């Protein structure tokens, strides 16, 4: 069974701190997505990557294919970054829930002022 | 460009009732999918479609039907609602092929009494 594990499940930090959220998966993938879900419930795609590193503003996503691991970093965190961050993977050979994405359970991040 | 739209936002049903959750996208995406999100679990794929006239089952298809008569619309039908179908439902779309950015609708919160 394809597994996507995220850590930590919950994270509370102070404004300005450097945040790291981790995602590991069990088999080879064609792409990994990082998603953000705000308290209102909407889901937004942050990054999609299959190798290396991507940066958008204060957000950085990295992936290590050999180690089957990805990290999402937030620099200079702000209370508006408070949300659930979700890792999702698309497996090769049509796996991952029959040509969909397999999702982690999410990391609930709270940034306190 | 409205993106992915879902209606209704909220719905309460009684056990045994049927209803249709609507999903539409205006980005000419070939791939559309339905997910459900339950507390403590990652999103799970219900059904998906790779184009008009083509649908297939995902991880948790029982109790749901879909059809794709046009590129834009992908309705999800609950045949006979059960309390176990209480969940938040998300529709998503993307261009076809692997490693494509997913666009999510705002979600439908369904309660079955």
């Amino acid at each position: 069974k394809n597994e996507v594990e995220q850590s930590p499940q919950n994270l509370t930090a102070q404004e300005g701190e450097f945040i790291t959220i981790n995602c590991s998966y069990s088999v080879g993938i064609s792409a990994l997505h990082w998603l953000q879900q705000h308290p209102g419930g909407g889901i937004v795609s942050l990054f999609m990557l299959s190798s290396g590193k991507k940066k958008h503003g204060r957000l950085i996503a990295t992936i290590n294919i050999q180690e089957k691991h990805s990290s999402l970093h937030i620099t200079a965190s702000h209370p508006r970054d408070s949300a659930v961050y979700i890792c999702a993977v698309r497996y090769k050979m049509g796996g991952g829930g029959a040509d969909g994405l397999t999702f982690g359970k999410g990391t609930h991040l709270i940034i306190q002022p | 460009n409205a993106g992915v739209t879902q209606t209704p936002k909220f719905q309460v049903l009684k056990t045994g009732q049927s209803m249709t959750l609507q999903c539409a996208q205006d980005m000419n995406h070939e791939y559309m999918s339905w997910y459900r999100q339950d507390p403590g679990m990652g999103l799970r794929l219900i059904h998906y479609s790779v184009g008009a006239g083509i649908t297939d089952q995902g991880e948790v298809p029982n109790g749901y039907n879909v059809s794709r008569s046009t590129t834009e619309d992908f309705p999800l039908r609950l045949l006979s609602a059960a309390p176990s179908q209480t969940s938040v439902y998300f529709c998503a779309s993307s261009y076809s092929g692997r490693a494509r950015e997913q666009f999510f609708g705002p979600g439908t919160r369904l309660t079955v009494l």
Side-chain angles (χ1 to χ4, degrees):
Chain A
K1 185 173 187 280
N2 300 325
E3 299 279 350
V4 178
E5 300 289 339
Q6 283 186 240
S7 64
Q9 282 188 292
N10 298 284
L11 178 57
T12 300
Q14 296 297 312
E15 183 174 357
E17 287 188 37
F18 182 82
I19 303 299
T20 295
I21 299 170
N22 297 299
C23 175
S24 61
Y25 50 92
S26 54
V27 298
I29 64 171
S30 58
L32 183 143
H33 299 251
W34 280 104
L35 309 167
Q36 181 190 57
Q37 186 172 28
H38 272 286
I43 299 174
V44 175
S45 178
L46 297 174
F47 294 103
M48 180 184 62
L49 63 167
S50 54
S51 64
K53 175 180 174 179
K54 287 190 176 181
K55 184 175 188 290
H56 185 257
R58 295 180 293 106
L59 300 177
I60 303 166
T62 65
I63 188 169
N64 185 317
I65 298 296
Q66 287 73 29
E67 294 186 4
K68 298 185 174 58
H69 181 269
S70 176
S71 293
L72 176 68
H73 306 286
I74 305 175
T75 61
S77 59
H78 189 277
R80 65 174 174 267
D81 297 326
S82 299
V84 176
Y85 292 84
I86 302 169
C87 172
V89 299
R90 185 183 298 279
Y91 287 83
K92 295 175 181 175
M93 304 305 293
D99 206 21
L101 295 172
T102 298
F103 294 80
K105 294 180 181 180
T107 294
H108 189 192
L109 174 66
I110 297 174
I111 304 296
Q112 295 178 335
Chain B
N1 191 333
V4 181
T5 59
Q6 289 183 238
T7 56
K9 288 192 187 315
F10 302 94
Q11 183 71 49
V12 178
L13 293 177
K14 295 181 180 177
T15 297
Q17 287 185 314
S18 63
M19 78 159 295
T20 299
L21 279 62
Q22 301 292 343
C23 174
Q25 52 90 12
D26 60 0
M27 296 173 281
N28 204 31
H29 287 166
E30 301 94 344
Y31 184 87
M32 296 185 74
S33 53
W34 276 101
Y35 298 92
R36 59 177 290 173
Q37 185 178 41
D38 301 296
M41 304 184 71
L43 282 85
R44 292 180 292 168
L45 180 66
I46 305 171
H47 284 284
Y48 68 98
S49 168
V50 298
I54 306 169
T55 64
D56 207 345
Q57 297 181 350
E59 184 184 353
V60 288
N62 293 341
Y64 307 95
N65 269 357
V66 291
S67 60
R68 184 95 180 269
S69 57
T70 67
T71 300
E72 295 78 18
D73 300 298
F74 190 44
L76 178 72
R77 297 184 190 83
L78 279 70
L79 308 173
S80 178
S84 61
Q85 293 178 304
T86 294
S87 188
V88 181
Y89 292 84
F90 288 95
C91 178
S93 73
S94 69
Y95 289 111
S96 282
R98 302 186 185 278
R100 297 293 188 177
E101 181 182 3
Q102 297 275 310
F103 293 82
F104 287 83
T108 295
R109 185 174 295 274
L110 175 68
T111 301
V112 182
L113 303 175

